[in-house]
Amino acid sequence: MTRAGIAPVAASAVGNILEHVTRALAIVGGLILVGLAIMTVCSILGRAFIFAGLSPVKGDYEMVEMGCAIAIFCFLPLCQMRRGHVTVDVFINVFPARVRIFLSLLGNTALFLAAALIAWRLWLGTIDKLSYGEETYELGLPLGYSYSAAMVGAVLFAVVAFYTMWRSLNEMIVGEEPH
């Protein structure tokens, strides 16, 4: 360890890469939600104009359920990267800077453990869904594929949470407040 933290140059390089990757994944999540919104509008219009020969989109509920789950996992890494998760600043702001930095490290450590647990359990769920060939009721879509897509975001979330733990540790060593 140096006065500037643990491998600060590497931390900066990793941070830049993760920033770009998490932003790209969040854009994918946003595109998924836009597609789901368009599909939902089409489905609602189909229901409203059944008398005119239109019909709702078959399996719309299934697609919204799977798509929203995937989109959420697409957003989590960027949220963690940019310190977007909820903190209780009302209570923390009364403490000295060193205590706030330590609490940030503690929170990032807890979030890393939670993210790793989520990624691990989602991995096991993916294997289970793929091995049994479980499908959605209406469309017969394999559930394992949506689990696999969500797992990409979950694994990246765990990686980013580990990185933010590293970032917080460096901030604590240097004594620098998070920005």
Side-chain angles (χ1 to χ4, degrees):
M1 286 192 284
T2 67
R3 178 82 174 112
I6 300 169
V9 174
S12 178
V14 169
N16 288 335
I17 291 167
L18 287 176
E19 178 69 30
H20 291 298
V21 172
T22 57
R23 193 173 356 170
L25 190 63
I27 290 169
V28 169
L31 291 173
I32 290 170
L33 288 182
V34 167
L36 291 174
I38 291 168
M39 186 265 315
T40 300
V41 167
C42 291
S43 191
I44 291 168
L45 289 174
R47 280 184 178 80
F49 293 102
I50 264 183
F51 65 89
L54 295 178
S55 64
V57 175
K58 182 178 179 187
D60 57 349
Y61 288 102
E62 292 174 354
M63 289 188 282
V64 167
E65 181 180 23
M66 289 187 300
C68 283
I70 293 167
I72 288 167
F73 279 105
C74 288
F75 298 139
L76 283 172
L78 183 63
C79 186
Q80 176 64 13
M81 189 71 189
R82 295 198 176 165
R83 304 176 200 263
H85 290 289
V86 175
T87 59
V88 188
D89 291 339
V90 173
F91 300 110
I92 293 174
N93 284 337
V94 299
F95 294 120
R98 282 272 190 208
V99 173
R100 288 193 303 265
I101 295 168
F102 175 74
L103 290 173
S104 176
L105 174 61
L106 200 62
N108 284 324
T109 302
L111 203 53
F112 165 68
L113 293 172
L117 178 68
I118 289 167
W120 171 55
R121 298 307 299 177
L122 195 52
W123 167 256
L124 294 177
T126 301
I127 291 171
D128 187 49
K129 299 296 180 197
L130 288 172
S131 66
Y132 287 109
E134 193 171 335
E135 298 177 339
T136 62
Y137 176 74
E138 206 168 333
L139 294 175
L141 298 172
L143 285 176
Y145 294 160
S146 61
Y147 272 61
S148 298
M151 198 174 56
V152 171
V155 168
L156 185 59
F157 180 38
V159 169
V160 168
F162 183 81
Y163 166 76
T164 59
M165 206 172 57
W166 178 16
R167 180 176 67 189
S168 289
L169 183 60
N170 280 348
E171 290 166 351
M172 193 167 135
I173 290 168
V174 173
E176 173 185 296
E177 285 257 31
H179 42 272

